[in-house]
Amino acid sequence: MSGRFVRASKYRHVFGRPTRKESCYDGLRISTNAWDSNIVKANPTYLSVNWEASGGGAFAVIPLNEKGRLPEHIPLFRGHTAVVLDTDWSPFNDSLIASGSDDGKVFIWKVPEGFTLYSDAEEPSDVSPVSRLIGHTRKVGHVLFNPAAENVLATSSGDFTVKLWDVESGAAKLKLTHGDIVQSLSWSADGSLLVTTSRDKKLRVWDVRQQKPAQEVQGHNGAKSSRAVWMGEHDRIATTGFSKMSDRQLGLWDVRAPREPMNGFQVLDSISGVCMPFWDDGTQCFDGNIRYFEYENDKFEFLSEYKSGDPQRGLAFLPKRGINTHENEVARAFKTVNDAYIEPISFIVPRRAEVFQNDIYPPTVGGKPGVSSSEWFSGKTALPPKISLESIYDGDAPVEIPAEVKPRAAVETAPVKATPKAAEPVPKAEPKKEEPKAPTVSAVAQRGPPPTMKEQQSSINTMVDKFHDEESDEEDDVDDDSSFEEVPKPTERIMPSSTLAAKPAQKPDPVPAATKTPTSPIATKASPVETSRAVPQPTKPTAATSTDPVNEPIASSLSEIKSLLEAQNRTITLQSDKIGALTAEVDTLKTRMGEARTGREKDERIRQLELELEMRKS
């Protein structure tokens, strides 16, 4: 296949747009702790970042609309006695945030109403936690809210456990025991399953309410950290990690049979930084640059890459309900730069029309949970209701899509619809089906070389075909029991005159067999069939007598055709003799001319002879 095939995708031209320094969040003191976490988390209202603070751990909350260089002293969220390792926003309450610390405690915080970083006070007042979740014996490295159930929190600790908390009651209801330190965790879309990676290089899929792994397989074999992310409502998991040779890898796993990654591990590069995977209509892997892939047909298709000279230690993506649909923004990332400021990066799909692009904005999760914490712990599972982004585009209140109807359709049909939209197989299939229907054979014949002797003879055969077609139509009216369609196609050769002379005396029914080629095999093979057909003739005397006058014009026509064939054969023979003579003359002249003439004169003479030879052939 020549040329380069470009895969169709509505996200193929997506690009990352950086933000000017004056519109970034500058003047920060980002934590330099070596624990492997994302450092920053975002929701449509606030941005949280782990803070480098003395006298205990703290983190900062920054309103998204307060950009630029921040004040020297800002209110912090203090309460931990050791450095804060991770934070996470509640998906159903933009003011509720959880934090995990090196002191082994988990705190729940409430952002004050009207919170701002700018105040007239000399010493801004810090914010205290509203709830303390105590139960882990070692540092808490990850905190993650359930995406479907309200106030259900998962936390991982250095005591090799993951605990599931009811934030309302402050109690740990469930515990998942691992064999080593947990390096990452991710919820399924309905919040019933949890995937974890740990330092023992195992990938585990947990049925959390049963408190045991439903699947446990070998993950990435490298010694460095590996991460996993659940791919939304698909039964698929994406992982990033390292090989034994320290190559960075990307893996795709089927939750139902995760014995090994689908299509094996995909090698990305050999950079030492840990990849942070995120899912939002595709998978993004990050180093100093940001790469985005599209999930299609159980594999990752590379789309593009956002390149930057500034590496980052932390990264967070804004929930879909917070993006700017007027600028065709499909995602927004917040990237830490040099542990000094945070840069927003907008990923935009370029479109000319200034209207809502519904093909790149499917319904997304809104701000209401599918179930409450008590319902979830009692065993109930439900997807959260979704909202239409088109209503937000028009400035109206979000239009909610009930969870009882839309989420089920999304689970069954969204993966199927996403694939043809990306690959667009349906528009391409129609022209492909039309191409074989085109008269390609006749087109090739029109562009072919001049007709050969065999083709000239077939032109005469065509005349016979037309004549016999007309006669066969007349015979079909008289007798519909003809069986000559079953006669095989004979080989072509010149008929003896005796065979042609004998043919007019036969019944005209075998004549349709000559519609393909008027050669002697047809006449000789038609004769036995005619003999078998001659048996019922005594029962049809009227039909037999009615066909006698037809034989006379056929005989005369065949005689004319015979004379034309003989004349054509003589003409062909003469032309062959002349072509042979000219060819011999050309060869003789080439050998005799030698050095008698210059090269130019010889070429001209040879060219003239060749042209004359070509004219004779044509």
Side-chain angles (χ1 to χ4, degrees), residues 428-442:
K428 291 186 177 181
E430 293 179 357
K432 287 182 181 178
K433 291 180 180 178
E434 293 176 359
E435 288 177 2
K437 295 180 181 178
T440 55
V441 178
S442 63

Side-chain angles (χ1 to χ4, degrees), residues 165-441:
W165 304 82
D166 184 353
V167 175
E168 295 179 0
S169 63
K173 298 292 186 70
L174 303 171
K175 183 173 72 172
L176 314 178
T177 304
H178 293 68
D180 210 327
I181 294 179
V182 176
Q183 295 175 331
S184 71
L185 64 162
S186 179
W187 287 100
S188 62
D190 60 1
S192 62
L193 300 175
L194 185 74
V195 59
T196 62
T197 60
S198 60
R199 201 164 57 183
D200 59 4
K201 304 176 185 177
K202 297 291 185 180
L203 177 70
R204 297 178 175 89
V205 179
W206 298 82
D207 185 352
V208 290
R209 283 169 290 202
Q210 299 297 325
Q211 303 186 71
K212 60 181 181 180
Q215 302 284 353
E216 180 176 343
V217 295
Q218 179 69 29
H220 297 268
N221 294 322
K224 295 184 180 180
S225 178
S226 64
R227 294 195 180 192
V229 62
W230 204 290
M231 296 171 56
E233 297 176 12
H234 299 279
D235 291 331
R236 299 290 185 269
I237 296 170
T239 61
T240 57
F242 293 82
S243 66
K244 290 183 178 180
M245 302 301 295
S246 297
D247 293 326
R248 296 202 299 184
Q249 297 175 327
L250 175 65
L252 175 65
W253 306 78
D254 186 348
V255 176
R256 296 163 294 185
R259 290 184 297 273
E260 58 183 14
M262 304 173 68
N263 305 318
F265 289 114
Q266 178 181 344
V267 177
L268 299 176
D269 49 44
S270 299
I271 301 176
S272 60
V274 176
C275 283
M276 291 179 282
F278 297 86
W279 167 257
D280 183 9
D281 293 328
T283 300
Q284 292 78 32
C285 298
F286 306 94
D287 45 73
N289 304 326
I290 300 177
R291 306 172 190 172
Y292 21 102
F293 299 78
E294 184 173 4
Y295 171 68
E296 181 184 19
N297 297 329
D298 282 335
K299 63 180 180 179
F300 293 121
E301 298 288 353
F302 178 76
L303 290 175
S304 185
E305 182 177 11
Y306 172 77
K307 297 184 178 181
S308 172
D310 300 320
Q312 72 276 347
R313 292 178 53 241
L315 195 82
F317 272 83
L318 193 67
K320 203 76 170 182
R321 56 190 173 92
I323 60 177
N324 188 350
T325 56
H326 288 272
E327 296 183 358
N328 297 331
E329 181 185 48
V330 295
R332 188 188 308 171
F334 294 91
K335 163 186 170 180
T336 65
V337 181
N338 299 327
D339 294 335
Y341 68 95
I342 295 176
E343 176 188 13
I345 302 172
S346 295
F347 294 93
I348 297 173
V349 175
R351 295 287 175 90
R352 292 184 178 180
E354 297 182 357
V355 295
F356 179 75
Q357 307 294 324
N358 54 9
D359 60 323
I360 60 175
Y361 293 119
T364 188
V365 176
K368 293 185 179 180
V371 293
S372 64
S373 59
S374 59
E375 291 174 335
W376 187 85
F377 281 109
S378 64
K380 185 178 180 180
T381 299
L383 287 165
K386 296 186 177 182
I387 60 173
S388 172
L389 291 177
E390 186 172 5
S391 59
I392 300 177
Y393 179 90
D394 297 332
D396 301 330
V399 176
E400 183 177 308
I401 301 174
E404 290 79 12
V405 178
K406 188 63 176 180
R408 291 181 182 176
V411 173
E412 297 175 0
T413 62
V416 179
K417 290 182 179 179
T419 300
K421 284 183 180 178
E424 295 180 1
V426 175
K428 291 186 177 181
E430 293 179 357
K432 287 182 181 178
K433 291 180 180 178
E434 293 176 359
E435 288 177 2
K437 295 180 181 178
T440 55
V441 178

Side-chain angles (χ1 to χ4, degrees), residues 457-472:
Q457 184 174 354
S458 65
S459 64
I460 300 177
N461 297 338
T462 306
M463 298 171 58
V464 180
D465 294 342
K466 293 180 180 179
F467 178 80
H468 285 306
D469 288 340
E470 296 175 357
E471 293 298 331
S472 62

Side-chain angles (χ1 to χ4, degrees), residues 151 166 240 340 438 491 494 523 576 584:
N151 295 328
D166 184 353
T240 57
T491 58
I494 304 302
S576 299

